[in-house]
């Protein structure tokens, strides 16, 4: 059972995906020196994820609105962009072979930019296996997502995402 003591109280978890129900849970946060709208625009633009999200090499529009097929480290995931409350909240769920994930972002305006929180709940046999072999794998991914979001948001011209 992962440590869920740092779970952010303002994140909306869908049924079945609370941190307490996870095989892997992690969270990261940072201050991004750009407006929330800039960070949100980058996160919500799924077709551009391969350009900046570590491990994602391809995205394709799915058959329904707000659905995508995403290749992550060679594994195919069906992704649904769920919660989208611009420019404050974003959440998506993904299903792949032996794994289900829900990733939530919370973006809050602060002096000098945005306080960004990313949290992941991962479930399934593949998540259990990875957690046993490398307990910090999910935290490393969160740290990479956050570093890339910070870099791109802060370098965006006139506070525009991308």
């Amino acid at each position: 059972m992962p440590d869920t003591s740092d779970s952010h109280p303002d994140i909306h978890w869908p049924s079945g995906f609370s941190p307490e129900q996870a095989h892997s849970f992690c969270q990261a946060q940072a201050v991004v020196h750009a407006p929330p709208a800039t960070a949100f625009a980058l996160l919500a633009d799924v077709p551009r994820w391969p350009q900046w999200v570590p491990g994602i090499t391809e995205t394709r529009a799915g058959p329904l609105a707000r659905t995508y097929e995403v290749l992550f480290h060679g594994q195919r995931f069906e992704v649904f962009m769920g919660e989208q409350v611009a420019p404050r909240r974003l959440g998506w769920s993904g299903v792949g072979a032996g794994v289900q994930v829900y990733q939530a972002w919370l973006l809050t305006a602060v002096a000098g930019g945005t306080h960004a929180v990313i949290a992941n709940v991962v479930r399934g046999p593949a998540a259990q296996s990875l957690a046993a072999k490398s307990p910090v794998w999910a935290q490393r991914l969160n740290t990479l997502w956050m570093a890339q979001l910070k870099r791109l948001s802060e370098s965006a011209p006139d506070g525009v995402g991308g």
Side-chain angles (χ1 to χ4, degrees), residues 10 15 18-19 32-33 56 59 73 75 79 87 92 109 143-144 151 162:
D10 293 333
S15 179
S18 71
V32 175
H33 299 287
I56 294 182
T59 61
H73 289 287
Q75 300 299 312
V79 170
W92 61 268
T143 301
L144 290 171
R151 181 183 66 80

Side-chain angles (χ1 to χ4, degrees), residues 3-134:
D3 178 14
T4 62
S5 61
D6 67 343
S7 178
H8 197 287
D10 293 333
I11 289 182
H12 299 160
W13 296 107
S15 179
F17 282 91
S18 71
E20 294 78 20
Q21 296 169 308
H23 294 124
S24 174
F25 169 77
C26 64
Q27 180 172 282
Q29 52 190 319
V31 172
V32 175
H33 299 287
T38 301
F40 186 91
L42 284 164
L43 292 167
D45 191 357
V46 178
R48 289 193 59 215
W49 283 3
Q51 297 172 21
W52 69 275
V53 176
I56 294 182
T57 56
E58 184 178 343
T59 61
R60 287 190 284 245
L64 304 172
R66 298 178 8 174
T67 64
Y68 300 88
E69 183 178 298
V70 174
L71 287 181
F72 176 69
H73 289 287
Q75 300 299 312
R76 186 172 82 74
F77 283 82
E78 297 295 326
V79 170
F80 172 69
M81 292 299 290
E83 184 178 30
Q84 286 188 292
V85 181
R88 176 145 164 69
R89 319 174 74 82
L90 187 126
W92 61 268
S93 60
V95 177
V99 67
Q100 300 169 325
V101 63
Y102 187 81
Q103 184 178 83
W105 287 87
L106 185 62
L107 307 168
T108 306
V110 296
T114 301
H115 179 249
V117 176
I118 178 179
N120 287 314
V121 164
V122 187
R123 298 175 39 135
Q128 288 175 301
S129 177
L130 273 171
K133 291 177 186 173
S134 177

